[in-house]
Amino acid sequence: MPLTVQDVERFEASRPRLEAIAYRLLGSASEAEDAVQDTFLRWQATDVDRIEVPEAWLTKVLTNLCLTQLTSARARRETYVGQWLPEPLLAGDPMLGPADTVEQRDSVSYAVLTLMERLSPNERAVYVLREAFGYPHREIAEILDITEAAAQQIFHRAKKHVADGRTRTEIDEATARRIVEEFLAAATSGRTEPLVRLLTEDAVAIGDGGGKVPARAKAFEGALAVAKFMRGLFKPGLAQRALAGGRVDVYATHANGSSALLAVVEGRIIGVICPEITAEGIAAFRSQVNPDKLERATRRWAASDHGEPLFSAF
């Protein structure tokens, strides 16, 4: 039976929530869109009049599609060139989903999305559905075809895994912005010492080039190593300009709910740097430079009023 206009409208009303769930589960906007589209095809192929709670049915179908995708993604990432990082989303992107609570904002932060890669597919699904969307354990159990007790146990285990990876306390937005500006001043000063003072002793710098843009296969570890790397990254030079493809304008903005730096060449984003800023200092820099993972951010950037760059490099 073909879908009625009302059936299509009902699905479209659920699309933003479904995309937000899928993005948190997969860490990829393009894969999230594909999963939601596959969910629509299944909606189209079923007798929707027999579905008692459409929202629950759609969530169950989507989640299980994502679980299948996560299982295959683990195998693909074993052969991924270099470090794998999630696709960053700029402020205001509807795929970021709800941000009313600390838990909702935290669940889509770049740091937590990266940490969720450590979770099993089931742990990730339970964590996202409970922490970000407030689903009762009973409904999560029905979605995943497990018992309610198992859903509770999986959630507590997943939450502990994520918490263990985040032993520091993050700070307020105004302070984070000030530290980002101090970092830029230090990085462009040509000196290592001011950068070291802004970092935690065990700071790391990770880059995802996907084999398409040069990025170190292993993370830089330790304040001094990270400081030297970031100093070199912002050092003007003909080689850097040639690699970037032109003059690089650097903007301070927000990605995944936190302060971020954007490197832009002629309106095209070539890099998103997401610092993890804590009360003890900057604990990590996660840089996405894989062009395939910057297409959505570039489109959003081009359609926004972003003002003047903080500075132009190279």
Side-chain angles (χ1 to χ4, degrees), residues 8-312:
V8 174
E9 289 176 346
R10 182 178 293 174
F11 181 87
E12 291 304 321
S14 295
R15 184 183 290 273
R17 177 179 58 84
L18 296 175
E19 287 189 344
I21 292 173
Y23 172 68
R24 284 169 165 82
L25 288 176
L26 301 172
S28 165
S30 58
E31 291 179 4
E33 288 176 335
D34 289 345
V36 173
Q37 188 58 29
D38 285 345
T39 303
F40 175 74
L41 294 177
R42 283 160 174 73
W43 174 252
Q44 193 175 41
T46 195
D47 183 357
V48 299
D49 289 336
R50 300 181 63 181
I51 299 174
E52 294 182 6
V53 186
E55 290 74 15
W57 187 92
L58 290 170
T59 303
K60 182 181 179 73
V61 170
L62 174 80
T63 301
N64 283 282
L65 284 169
C66 288
L67 287 175
T68 300
Q69 181 77 358
L70 279 172
T71 301
S72 61
R74 287 190 164 214
R76 290 199 310 273
R77 286 170 196 168
E78 289 179 1
T79 59
Y80 190 82
V81 179
Q83 300 280 338
W84 186 95
L85 290 173
E87 179 178 347
L89 297 182
L90 301 188
D93 193 312
M95 199 174 280
L96 288 171
D100 298 327
T101 67
V102 172
E103 290 78 14
Q104 288 171 339
R105 293 190 294 272
D106 207 38
S107 69
V108 81
S109 73
Y110 212 61
V112 169
L113 283 178
T114 304
L115 284 171
M116 281 200 286
E117 287 296 304
R118 304 177 182 181
L119 305 181
S120 70
N122 259 19
E123 286 174 340
R124 188 162 183 164
V126 172
Y127 182 84
V128 166
L129 291 172
R130 179 65 178 170
E131 192 79 346
F133 295 90
Y135 278 80
H137 287 296
R138 174 182 52 79
E139 292 185 24
I140 294 173
E142 292 172 358
I143 289 169
L144 298 178
D145 292 323
I146 58 178
T147 66
E148 185 172 348
Q152 292 173 332
Q153 290 172 354
I154 292 171
F155 173 69
H156 291 307
R157 187 166 65 241
K159 192 167 185 177
K160 183 179 186 302
H161 287 331
V162 172
D164 286 346
R166 305 192 77 199
T167 56
R168 297 184 176 93
T169 303
E170 295 198 358
I171 57 179
D172 64 88
E173 182 53 40
T175 304
R177 174 62 182 246
R178 176 179 56 77
I179 291 175
V180 166
E181 292 174 351
E182 289 179 3
F183 159 74
L184 281 176
T188 55
S189 70
R191 297 168 55 227
T192 304
E193 294 79 9
L195 276 170
V196 171
R197 288 196 293 269
L198 290 172
L199 306 175
T200 62
E201 289 186 6
D202 57 351
V204 297
I206 304 168
D208 178 351
K212 301 185 177 184
V213 173
R216 182 181 168 93
K218 295 182 66 176
F220 290 92
E221 298 181 352
L224 184 59
V226 171
K228 288 180 176 179
F229 167 67
M230 300 307 290
R231 183 195 64 189
L233 188 65
F234 285 88
K235 183 180 179 180
L238 293 177
Q240 288 95 324
R241 185 181 179 92
L243 183 62
R247 188 189 74 180
V248 179
D249 293 326
V250 177
Y251 294 83
T253 185
H254 288 81
N256 293 76
S258 301
S259 294
L261 293 170
L262 261 59
V264 182
V265 175
E266 297 179 354
R268 175 175 56 90
I269 295 175
I270 64 166
V272 178
I273 301 176
C274 298
E276 184 178 350
I277 304 173
T278 72
E280 292 81 14
I282 302 176
F285 292 99
R286 298 181 178 91
S287 303
Q288 184 56 261
V289 293
N290 183 343
D292 293 345
K293 298 183 182 181
L294 297 173
E295 292 179 358
R296 183 182 179 98
T298 293
R299 291 196 300 270
R300 184 160 191 87
W301 183 253
S304 67
D305 179 14
H306 37 260
E308 296 297 316
L310 289 178
F311 72 96
S312 297

